[in-house]
Amino acid sequence: MKLYPFSALLARMKYITRWSLMHSTRPESLSEHTCDTALLAHTLCLIARRYTGTPCRPKTVAVAALYHDAPEIITGDMPTPVKYSSPGLRDAYKALEAESVDSMTRLLPPELAEEVSPFITGSLLTAEEKRLLKAADRLSALIKCMEEQRSGNHEFDAALRQQRETLEGMHCPEADWFMAHCLPCFTQNLDELTRSE
């Protein structure tokens, strides 16, 4: 009987620590980040469908978000400033990421790999859906920075400013709506979040 270790490899996302070059008050795993990003992507897609009219498939984008950083199981989490510090590093990392996707999907039967690969690469997403997923990814990072800052960790001050500026620069109406109506709630405590109005 042939074994296919793809899912077991994915389960190792919990061992990949994000923000590895920064002091964190609470470590964040790749599993946490992908779950948060999927939830945020789904919400942004619902905002898109209900408020901005951007065509999208919320369930498809949410599943793609679950896989969006899967290559980091092989590559590890390379900090964004390092990854994009030069064209050579950026191109090398993109090639490494593509090789990671190939090696991971070889751990599935070919017919399943054919279905999973477009989720990992994001190739099944439209341009609008890719934008929404990228905004969700940035929102997840912004929320992490806010949590660290609220814990008194000023290590994340510059990252917080950079994430906010990047999100604002995306001109993504769905992310703008989320930042206006939902993001302030991330500074509230449990009593504030659950009290009835």
Side-chain angles (χ1 to χ4, degrees), residues 100-142:
S100 296
V101 172
D102 289 343
S103 69
M104 288 177 69
T105 53
R106 283 195 300 269
L107 303 176
L108 282 166
E111 56 276 11
L112 295 185
E114 187 179 307
E115 292 198 41
V116 170
S117 184
F119 282 99
I120 300 176
T121 63
S123 63
L124 81 167
L125 301 178
T126 65
E128 292 90 355
E129 291 168 339
K130 286 179 183 177
R131 179 180 54 83
L132 290 166
L133 175 50
K134 189 62 183 168
D137 191 28
R138 289 287 182 177
L139 279 169
S140 173
L142 176 64

Side-chain angles (χ1 to χ4, degrees), residues 62-154:
V63 173
L66 287 172
Y67 285 107
H68 83 283
D69 276 341
E72 291 184 10
I73 297 165
I74 305 223
T75 68
D77 176 43
M78 183 176 288
T80 300
V82 175
K83 196 185 308 185
Y84 298 111
S85 63
S86 73
L89 265 176
R90 184 195 61 231
D91 294 345
Y93 187 78
K94 289 291 178 196
L96 182 60
E97 222 172 24
E99 180 58 35
S100 296
V101 172
D102 289 343
S103 69
M104 288 177 69
T105 53
R106 283 195 300 269
L107 303 176
L108 282 166
E111 56 276 11
L112 295 185
E114 187 179 307
E115 292 198 41
V116 170
S117 184
F119 282 99
I120 300 176
T121 63
S123 63
L124 81 167
L125 301 178
T126 65
E128 292 90 355
E129 291 168 339
K130 286 179 183 177
R131 179 180 54 83
L132 290 166
L133 175 50
K134 189 62 183 168
D137 191 28
R138 289 287 182 177
L139 279 169
S140 173
L142 176 64
I143 291 164
K144 168 64 174 168
C145 293
M146 289 170 59
E147 289 170 354
E148 288 292 330
Q149 193 179 58
R150 275 187 31 247
S151 295
N153 184 2
H154 296 290

